[in-house]
Amino acid sequence: MQRNYPSMQWCRYADDGLIHCKTEKQAKHMLDCLNKRFDECGLQLHPDKTKIIYCKDDNRKNKYPNTSFDFLGYTFRPRSSWNKKQNILFISFAPSVSKIAINSMRAKLKTLNIRKRSEIDFEDIAQFCNPILRGWINYYGRFNPSGLYPIFRYFNMTLSAWAQQKYKRLYRRKMKATQFLERIVRERPKLFVHWEIGMIGALA
């Protein structure tokens, strides 16, 4: 790419890469060139991952079968966006945390088994969870941070389940546990990193 196509915009991370083309003809030409180059090196492009994607938005309205792709934990696809200057809604081709990444984060929280650890308190949970949450916010919250709301909601529901195990007065009383969490948020809004930055998410 650097030697033969220096004007092309492209990026690579490990064995994943993207090339931005201006036309479908250019994209097909690049795909053909890459296939030939990989074959010369005794390699093969991934048959399922390697695709030509149409970056559909308000300026590109044609119909193509592939209009989204995942890259480094993000899903790039057409999304509704708000133009603050013109105060209008428009369609942009933009990234947000992928469903695969959300499921991976959910699995990570499950391994911590917070729900059943009644021997610990809020401070303990915050101490080992905040670095994890902060890392996710810093990486995935850079673009369309609202995409992280499902994981915040899941984390808050985990806290509710933990509280029902921790405190006898809340045992199997989901509504009471939710009200208890709402009070904690008001009294200690900086306890968890997503609360601190205002991305509280639903508590029930």
Side-chain angles (χ1 to χ4, degrees):
M1 291 300 298
Q2 292 174 346
R3 183 176 65 246
N4 298 322
Y5 304 94
S7 63
M8 297 287 290
Q9 293 182 334
W10 70 288
C11 63
R12 179 180 68 86
Y13 183 84
D15 61 344
D16 287 333
L18 296 174
I19 301 175
H20 183 70
C21 301
K22 295 182 178 181
T23 65
E24 183 181 11
K25 181 179 179 180
Q26 187 182 54
K28 289 181 177 179
H29 172 71
M30 286 305 309
L31 181 57
D32 183 55
C33 291
L34 287 173
N35 273 313
K36 291 179 180 178
R37 178 57 178 160
F38 269 59
D39 187 58
E40 291 173 359
C41 298
L43 301 172
Q44 183 182 14
L45 292 171
H46 196 289
D48 297 324
K49 288 185 176 181
T50 307
K51 298 178 181 179
I52 295 176
I53 307 297
Y54 184 66
C55 302
K56 190 171 185 177
D57 60 17
D58 268 354
N59 296 318
R60 294 178 285 252
K61 299 182 179 181
N62 293 330
K63 293 183 178 180
Y64 282 88
N66 299 317
T67 58
S68 69
F69 66 91
D70 285 5
F71 186 61
L72 302 184
Y74 279 94
T75 294
F76 293 73
R77 65 171 178 82
R79 301 178 188 277
S80 297
S81 301
W82 188 258
N83 187 318
K84 294 181 180 179
K85 292 183 178 180
Q86 299 181 8
N87 201 34
I88 59 173
L89 195 66
F90 69 101
I91 302 298
S92 66
F93 193 84
S96 184
V97 57
S98 70
K99 290 182 179 180
I100 294 176
I102 288 290
N103 290 336
S104 177
M105 287 183 261
R106 191 189 299 264
K108 172 64 176 180
L109 291 176
K110 283 184 178 180
T111 63
L112 299 177
N113 201 29
I114 297 171
R115 295 169 181 257
K116 296 182 179 180
R117 299 191 61 184
S118 58
E119 80 281 2
I120 61 177
D121 54 28
F122 270 122
E123 288 74 13
D124 296 322
I125 299 174
Q127 185 176 6
F128 62 76
C129 284
N130 273 339
I132 299 172
L133 297 174
R134 185 176 292 108
W136 292 340
I137 292 171
N138 288 343
Y139 183 75
Y140 295 108
R142 184 175 179 85
F143 303 101
N144 193 27
S146 63
L148 284 169
Y149 284 172
I151 200 64
F152 296 148
R153 174 177 169 78
Y154 177 78
F155 181 73
N156 289 336
M157 291 175 64
T158 299
L159 290 178
S160 176
W162 167 82
Q164 292 176 64
Q165 291 290 329
K166 174 77 172 178
Y167 304 103
K168 291 183 178 180
R169 69 182 187 278
L170 301 179
Y171 184 67
R172 291 186 177 180
R173 304 181 70 179
K174 184 178 180 180
M175 183 60 68
K176 289 290 185 180
T178 298
Q179 294 172 349
F180 171 71
L181 278 182
E182 290 173 344
R183 179 171 61 82
I184 297 298
V185 171
R186 291 193 300 269
E187 295 175 354
R188 307 179 64 183
K190 296 184 178 181
L191 181 61
F192 292 99
V193 63
H194 65 301
W195 293 1
E196 183 177 2
I197 62 176
M199 298 176 70
I200 297 172
L203 294 171

